[in-house]
């Protein structure tokens, strides 16, 4: 896979540059401390894959040139998503986010929580001031799903008895709902009909499912780089490769592996023994197969939209997110 993000972005490069300027401007505030923190957040932006999904889906749904509502929809998602990340770092007591210090590490928890609230209200007001009720409804649903997914995972993590069905529910809510809302917002902002919006949403959901399974696979060292191996196991998170492997084994082995997950205390030998167990029992191959199934379902939905450079780029973007090595 030799396509770069810049090449994928080509059909919307000017729109992305314009979005960046608008987004920066929308983050400015008269409160000095807040302005400083907003500047820090804007500087640390990642690959901006979410706005790309919004813009590409708007284009393939008939929004060419892109209406102003598409820019607002992308900003709404970025604001609300950033708010959830800032709050997540407080909840997880995490000092880093993508290699940078988190807001709570630099400015303490109280300020981080207030900043998250500010971003949330900024997103809500952006929609209300422009009567973007349909977009607000789509994104608010995603935020509700994110919270429910997190809480479901916490509830299940205590007992480590997650079935595949529960796992799919968790990742559908925690990860897939956000990409699904990006695509639904893109289509809705371009004035698409209800059927097209739902098709776009379902497309995004399938991509999100594949994306999360890919993320789970990194935990078992399937890539040379990326996040450190065994993080999910250390955090007692049950992911698809492990859930499948536990279903394939005898009661005694299952008990031993679950004991090692529950009581790993960050010990490398215990984490490593869980990784070896999953590799030996076909957990990785199984998860890769499920990921490919979601990818193919997403591509099949995508191909129901008219052919265009934006549709080609979306196809490349799916492959980029699934074949990435970090």
């Amino acid at each position: 896979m030799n396509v770069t993000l810049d090449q994928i972005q080509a059909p919307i490069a000017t729109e992305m540059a314009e979005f960046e300027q608008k987004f920066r401007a929308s983050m400015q505030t008269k409160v000095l401390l807040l302005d400083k923190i907003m500047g820090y957040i804007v500087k640390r932006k990642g690959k901006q894959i979410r706005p790309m999904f919004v813009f590409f889906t708007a284009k393939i749904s008939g929004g060419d040139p892109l209406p102003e509502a598409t820019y607002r929809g992308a900003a709404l998602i970025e604001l609300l998503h950033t708010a959830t990340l800032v709050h997540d770092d407080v909840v997880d007591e995490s000092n880093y986010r993508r290699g940078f210090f988190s807001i709570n590490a630099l400015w303490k928890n109280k300020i981080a929580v207030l900043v998250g609230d500010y971003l949330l209200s900024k997103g809500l007001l952006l929609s209300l001031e422009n009567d973007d009720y349909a977009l607000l409804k789509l994104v608010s649903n995603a935020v509700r799903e994110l919270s429910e997914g997190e809480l479901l995972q916490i509830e299940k993590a205590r007992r480590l008895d997650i079935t595949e069905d529960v796992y799919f529910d968790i990742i559908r809510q925690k990860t897939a709902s956000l990409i699904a809302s990006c695509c639904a917002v893109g289509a809705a902002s371009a004035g698409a009909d209800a059927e097209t919006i739902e098709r776009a949403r379902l497309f995004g959901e399938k991509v999100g499912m594949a994306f999360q399974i890919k993320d789970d696979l990194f935990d078992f060292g399937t890539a040379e780089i990326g996040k450190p191996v065994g993080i999910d196991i250390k955090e007692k998170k049950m992911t698809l490769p492990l859930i499948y492997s536990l279903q394939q084994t005898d009661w005694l082995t299952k008990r031993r592996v679950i004991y090692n997950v529950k009581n790993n205390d960050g010990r490398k030998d215990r984490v490593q023994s869980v990784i070896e167990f999953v590799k030996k029992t076909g957990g990785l191959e199984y998860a890769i197969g499920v990921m490919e199934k979601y990818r193919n379902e997403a591509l099949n939905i995508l191909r129901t939209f008219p052919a265009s450079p934006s549709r080609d780029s979306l196809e490349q973007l799916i492959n980029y997110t699934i074949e990435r090595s970090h």
Side-chain angles (χ1 to χ4, degrees), residues 91-205:
V91 172
D92 297 339
E93 298 174 353
S94 173
N95 289 328
Y96 296 95
R97 162 84 48 191
R98 287 202 210 98
F100 291 95
F101 281 115
S102 58
I103 304 298
N104 49 300
L106 291 172
W107 286 283
K108 302 286 175 268
N109 283 351
K110 187 175 181 178
I111 289 174
V113 170
L114 292 170
V115 165
D117 293 346
Y118 173 79
L119 291 164
L120 196 62
S121 63
K122 199 96 170 133
L124 300 177
L125 286 168
L126 175 69
S127 297
L128 295 173
E129 283 162 3
N130 294 283
D131 297 339
D132 294 330
Y133 300 112
L135 306 187
L136 186 55
K137 190 175 178 183
L138 288 167
V139 180
S140 298
N141 270 328
V143 174
R144 175 184 57 79
E145 293 229 45
L146 277 168
S147 314
E148 283 182 1
E150 282 285 358
L151 288 163
L152 179 60
Q153 187 170 42
I154 290 166
E155 177 194 316
K156 296 293 178 185
R158 291 193 181 129
R159 295 181 41 205
L160 296 184
D161 59 351
I162 295 185
T163 60
E164 262 186 54
D165 287 347
V166 172
Y167 165 82
F168 288 129
D169 279 345
I170 290 171
I171 70 167
R172 188 172 287 111
Q173 290 185 304
K174 267 190 64 177
T175 305
S177 64
L178 190 68
I179 297 178
S181 74
C182 288
C183 298
V185 161
S189 70
D193 59 22
E195 184 277 327
T196 306
I197 295 169
E198 176 52 26
R199 213 170 1 130
R201 191 201 65 77
L202 196 59
F203 159 73
E205 187 178 275

